[in-house]
Amino acid sequence: MSDNLIHGLYREGEPIQDPKAPSGPIETRWTRRKFEAKLVNPANRRKLSVIIVGTGLAGGAAAATLGEAGYHVKSFCYQDSPRRAHSIAAQGGINAAKNYKEDGDSVYRLFYDTVKGGDYRSRESNVYRLAEVSCNIIDQCVAQGVPFAREYGGLLDNRSFGGVQVSRTFYARGQTGQQLLIGAYQALERQVASGAVEMFTRHEMLELVMVDGRARGIIARDMLTGEIETHLADAVVLASGGYGNVFFLSTNAMGCNVTATWRAHRKGALFGNPCYTQIHPTCIPQHGDKQSKLTLMSESLRNDGRIWVPKRAEDCDKDPRQIPEEDRDYYLERIYPSFGNLVPRDIASRQAKNMCDEGRGVGPAIAEMGPDGVERQVRRGVYLDFAEAIDRMGLDTVKAKYGNLFDMYLRITGENPYETPMRIYPAVHYTMGGLWVDYDLSSNIPGLFVTGEANFSDHGANRLGASALMQGLSDGYFVLPNTIRDYLASGPYPKVTSEDPAVADAERSVRDRINHFLTCNGTRTVDSIHKELGAIMWEYCGMSRTEEGLKKAIGLIRNVKQEFWTNVRVLGGADELNQSLEKAGRVADLIELGELMCIDALHRRESCGGHFREESQTEDGEALRHDDEYAYVAAWEFGGDDGAPTLHKEPLVYEFIELKQRSYK
């Protein structure tokens, strides 16, 4: 490891490799890995225990599958029901290479589109496995009764999503995530009823327990009573979702946070590619400075809706229905004729920002702080217009395909999208970064596995639409159950009790942290500090990043951290329902994560996917990668409370797909 600080911020450590990375023909890698993984006989499974944190698609599916297999599972969620996991918010669909439309799709094409969509910053083996397993997911969910949309003849229907030219997205109107989650929930509750799974709702993981270098449990807080509980097992699985709420305003549920994975990171788990944040192009625009949540409108709307802005800035105040066709700029169709409105999310988002930066944004002006620190009034919106689709397909057909989404837009904005074009603008949505895992979904901490959005593994620098549900269910139903057994076959591991010094230390650290929040007695609310952090992250580490801005952001975040730990005020007590206390712990971790995100974005002097460095772009403003320097996973090691993080690079080797500049024109 180098002792010299780079940019005065981080060190570079030894390169790392995925020790489980398979070789040979890519079509047989997953089959061979499953065969090579050690087995656990049914009698021994009853002696083994697994803790799973999170009950979304990845966590719920994993708990149901491992419970069905005969392991004893403890499942944790901070919601009052597993059905409230954030997976419920995914609307548009789930990808699978079934090729029902006979339009040229295949497992290899899904693999290719996903690697290309991730801007060549994901692992080939992981992505091919995801594409291969995708077909099994649909069969599993149909068997569970998930009400996928069907064509007139009864076959499952498909639609297109951004970044592809085929129809491979299965959907249940605009409620796909909800319906898939109900399927996983049914399977989970069956195992709860059988006694194989023990369910802990309204419990939040606050610390990872490590004994003799292995993950052996968690410290959790009962959010209703405040009781601090120790739960121990042979292995721990984190399926706790993403960290988009580091930006304060995002499409994530208000409770989404990074605490479970960040606590593991502080115990030694590497954090992969934290700066890769997806900005979703199809969200209801921010309407003021008192807002705490943004609402996603499904990307599926881009199948039939057309995106445009006025050609002239002076027309931005007009009723859009009064702007003639020749005065409209359908800019995605103009710039990207091959893909049109179905370009990937990162590209659609940047172009929407470009249109608004040119002064052609629509909707009410909102106050925005500029890089110079001066507040200005800007319009942040573009139109998503269904007039042509209604003329072509008829009103009833549009209502059948998108009705619940249109109703949601009407309730939130008071505007009828059947009559007036929707207004949309990009917002923080998904995080491609997460804890580093190997091919088996194991972190570098033995016994700690990470699934779904909580890991970094499948999406590279940009997630294609309808692939988050695919990854969550792939990891939960098909991948983790086949890989965790290789680890559990060496168990049961030596019994650990709450009296073990490592366990007692973990519990003590949680109590000390809670006590600090409740006795700090400062003058700032947690929300006010969170909002300040979010403004910094959005301005300097949002849709575009610069070296100067990122360095400034790191200094500002360090000031926020100092302010938080010395001047926060948390009312209430520890032994009761206390949402301010819950938020304090989450924001403390988001602040530290925000600094690492900026350091990661600063070190990567290239543009790729959702990471757009203004210093690295093509002549026409597209993301410009530098494969000779940055074709690697950035896996960060925690540097201690007062230390600098260490960067470990995992080289990305492409054997089956040619590295080339992305083009959707």
Side-chain angles (χ1 to χ4, degrees), residues 105-289:
D105 201 11
S106 64
V107 168
Y108 195 91
R109 188 173 295 279
L110 175 52
F111 160 59
Y112 174 83
D113 287 343
T114 305
V115 171
K116 177 184 176 183
D119 220 349
Y120 305 93
R121 290 294 177 262
S122 50
R123 292 178 182 150
E124 281 188 325
S125 294
N126 289 68
V127 177
Y128 192 90
R129 176 176 64 187
L130 180 64
E132 181 182 350
V133 167
S134 68
C135 298
N136 299 343
I137 296 171
I138 303 304
D139 297 339
Q140 168 93 358
C141 294
V142 169
Q144 290 176 335
V146 173
F148 287 120
R150 294 180 180 268
E151 295 178 330
Y152 179 75
L155 298 176
L156 297 183
D157 196 14
N158 293 124
R159 56 191 179 198
S160 296
F161 258 61
V164 303
Q165 293 176 305
V166 297
S167 295
R168 66 162 66 102
T169 303
F170 295 78
Y171 64 98
R173 210 176 182 197
Q175 308 169 354
T176 313
Q178 178 178 355
Q179 298 302 327
L180 291 172
L181 186 61
I182 289 172
Y185 172 73
Q186 291 174 153
L188 173 60
E189 286 302 303
R190 179 173 177 272
Q191 297 308 315
V192 172
S194 75
V197 175
E198 195 174 354
M199 190 72 233
F200 294 86
T201 60
R202 303 298 286 165
H203 279 68
E204 183 168 24
M205 171 185 163
L206 296 181
E207 189 59 273
L208 177 71
V209 173
M210 288 182 58
V211 179
D212 297 330
R214 297 180 182 272
R216 294 303 306 271
I218 65 171
I219 308 297
R221 179 176 181 268
D222 184 323
M223 295 162 65
L224 296 179
T225 67
E227 183 179 355
I228 304 301
E229 302 175 1
T230 298
H231 297 270
L232 303 171
D234 293 297
V236 177
V237 178
L238 300 184
S240 50
Y243 48 85
N245 278 346
V246 68
F247 291 88
F248 187 72
L249 284 178
S250 80
T251 67
N252 290 190
M254 296 293 289
C256 290
N257 63 85
V258 77
T259 290
T261 50
W262 194 255
R263 295 287 100 195
H265 174 59
R266 290 178 62 95
K267 285 292 182 73
L270 300 177
F271 210 105
N273 298 334
C275 80
Y276 288 164
T277 306
Q278 180 164 84
I279 311 295
H280 196 295
T282 317
C283 301
I284 297 177
Q286 182 182 352
H287 59 71
D289 60 0

Side-chain angles (χ1 to χ4, degrees), residues 18 87 110 120 184 223 272 278 288 294 319 341 378 383 386 400 422 469 497 644:
D18 177 359
S87 300
L110 175 52
Y120 305 93
M223 295 162 65
Q278 180 164 84
L294 295 173
D319 184 323
N341 295 299
V378 295
Y383 289 125
F386 271 80
M422 294 182 185
L469 302 182
T497 69

